[in-house]
Each structure stands twice: as C-alpha cells, then as structure tokens.
Amino acid sequence: QVQLVESGGGLVQAGASLRLSCVASGRSFTDYAMGWFRQAPGKARDFVAAVTWSGGSTAYADSVKGRFTISRDNAKNTVYLQMNSLKPEDTAVYYCAARGGYYKSTISRQLEFYDNWGQGTQVTVSS
C-alpha cells in the first residue's frame, strides 16, 4: 500500500487559483491510479478528478471541467490538482486517493474504487 499526504490548501477569494499536492510514500508511486475527491461539511464525498498511472488519461467532474487540471510527476511521487477560477462552491476538504496493482490503468469516478486515502487539505473560497 501507499501513504498519501496532501498539502496546498488555504483561504482565497473567488477567482483565485490554488495548486494542491499529494506526496506518496511506501512503494512505487508509478503503480497507482490516482484521484481527487472533496467533501463539504454535512455532505457526501464527491469525485473531482482522476488520472491513470501513466498520466495519459484523465477524467473530471462536470462542475470543475475547464477550471481544474490533474497531473502527476512519478519521479517526484506526486500528483497535483491545479485549481483556477475558484468559486465559493469549491469550498471543501480535498482528499487524494489511490488504487494500485491490476487497476493502475483504470479511470474511476467511484468512491469505493479507491483503497488508499490521504488526510485531506482544506480549501476555502470566499465571495
């Protein structure tokens, strides 16, 4: 399994940008498909973006398409979420997630697909 630690969250005004990072340790980062999810207070944890082990395939929630970009640097054991044109509706705790082995080339929007999770990083967007 892999250990995941998110960073880069903060308090920003609407229209600003943030870049979240997720650093992995424990085994080869290359062997994992990665995803980002977010959870607002009192709400379910929702899909944001996903990327395969190679970085060649990505998927996005409709609510962030065109504004957010997921990418990875396997040499640095890191996956990123670049967030532009932030809206108050983007306010949530953002979680990094991973699924390895046979599923490393899979794109999944499903919460239950992932079996490794980070601790989360808070993103707050004011109006």
Side-chain angles (χ1 to χ4, degrees), residues 20-22 29 34 36 51 70-72 77-80 96:
L20 306 184
S21 299
C22 174
F29 180 70
M34 304 295 298
W36 285 98
V51 63
I70 188 171
S71 62
R72 66 192 298 164
N77 297 327
T78 302
V79 63
Y80 303 98
C96 179

Side-chain angles (χ1 to χ4, degrees), residues 30 43 65 68 98 112 118:
T30 304
K43 297 185 178 180
K65 195 173 299 181
F68 291 10
E112 59 269 23

